[in-house]
Amino acid sequence: MEHKDQILYEAGDGVAVITLNRPEAANAQSMSLLDDLDAAWSRAEADDDVRVIVLKANGRHFSAGHDLKGGGPVPDKITLEHVYGVEARRYLGYSLRWRNVPKPSIAAVQGKCIAGGLMLCWPCDLIVAAENAQFSDPVVHMGIGGVEYHGHTWELGPRKAKEILFTGRPVTAEEAEKAGMVNRVVPLDELEATAMELAGQIARMHPFALRQAKRAVNQTLDVQGFYAAVQSVFDTHQTGHGNAFSVAGFPVLMRYDELKGKISGG
Ligand code: ZN
C-alpha cells in the first residue's frame, strides 16, 4: 500500500501550516496520526523562523475524533492502566503541550469537529470556523462524561457545556462564536485565506511580545484553576472507562459503529 502522509507540514513567511491529511476517514485520529501531529508541532516550535502556527484539515470535516477502530496495537487484555497511560500521554498530554507552545496558533475548522476533534482545536489560541462547522462531544452516548481534555466549561461556559454534554448535540459555528469559543465565522471558501491572513498579520508582531501575551492569558486561566481542573476532570473521565470495564469489559459502553450510526443518523 502506498504510504500517504497523515500530517502535512509547510513553513514560509513566518507561518507554519500543519494539515490533517486523512480526509477519507474524516481525519479520524489514529495513534500514529497523533504522534505525527505532535512531531509537526515540535518542528514548528523549534524553528525560529516560525512565528505563528496554523492547524487546518483537508477534506469536508476537521476531525471525526479518535479512531476507535484502527487504534494501533492493543494488548490481549485491555486494562484501565493501559487506557489511562495512553490517554494521559497522547490525549491530555499532547493537548496541554500544544496549548503551551510559546507561539500563537490558529485552528481553521470546517465541517464536523467531534469529540477528540475538540482536543485538536481547543488548544489553539484562536479558532476560525467555516459557516458549516459543527462542534460536538457525544461521548455520553458511550457511557463517558466527556472527552479527556475538559475544555468545555472554559470554552463555552457552564450552562452550554452541560447542555452539549447532556444532549450530545453539536454547537454551530455561529453559536460557538457567540459563546466566545470561536473568533470568526467565515464562508467555507474563505476559511483558509482568513486563517492565513490572520496568521500573516500576527507574524509581523514582535515574537517575544507575542509569547508573553500568550503566557499572560494562559497563566491567568491557570491561576483561575484551568490546569488543576483539566487534570482532575481527566481522572473523572477515567472513572467512566473504569465503569464501562466493570459493566461491559470494554473501555466504552457503546462500540464505534453504533455511535457512528447515531451521529450520522441524528
Ligand atoms: Zn478516554
Side-chain angles (χ1 to χ4, degrees), residues 42 100 102 113 132 153 161 179 197 200 202 210 219 222 229 249:
S42 295
N100 290 323
C113 177
N132 74 347
T153 305
E197 194 187 319
I202 296 169
L210 289 171
Q219 280 294 106
D222 287 347

Side-chain angles (χ1 to χ4, degrees), residues 83 87 91 144 148 237-238 241:
V83 171
E87 297 193 344
Y91 297 173
I144 311 287
E148 291 78 8
H237 172 93
Q238 295 302 325
H241 287 313

Side-chain angles (χ1 to χ4, degrees), residues 87-199:
E87 297 193 344
R89 186 167 105 75
R90 289 207 176 82
Y91 297 173
L92 179 63
Y94 281 171
S95 291
L96 282 174
R97 202 183 82 67
W98 303 334
R99 172 196 185 248
N100 290 323
V101 164
K103 299 178 180 184
S105 56
I106 304 168
V109 179
Q110 79 279 19
K112 289 187 173 153
C113 177
I114 302 171
L118 299 169
M119 295 163 62
L120 305 190
C121 69
W122 279 345
C124 292
D125 298 310
L126 308 180
I127 300 177
V128 180
E131 285 164 347
N132 74 347
Q134 292 193 347
F135 304 86
S136 63
D137 183 0
V139 304
V140 169
H141 285 305
M142 304 168 85
I144 311 287
V147 291
E148 291 78 8
Y149 177 89
H150 185 78
H152 316 61
T153 305
W154 300 89
E155 298 282 354
L156 294 161
R159 301 267 178 226
K160 203 166 282 285
K162 286 173 182 168
E163 184 191 338
I164 67 145
L165 286 167
F166 294 173
T167 63
R169 78 157 174 91
V171 169
T172 63
E174 188 189 352
E175 199 182 357
E177 187 185 26
K178 252 186 227 159
M181 194 195 107
V182 155
N183 294 86
R184 287 183 201 176
V185 179
V186 296
L188 179 60
D189 61 2
E190 293 171 22
L191 179 66
E192 189 171 340
T194 304
M196 291 307 292
E197 194 187 319
L198 195 53

Side-chain angles (χ1 to χ4, degrees), residues 22-34:
R22 212 186 159 205
E24 70 285 358
N27 296 307
Q29 303 159 33
S30 62
M31 296 296 170
S32 65
L33 181 141
L34 285 169

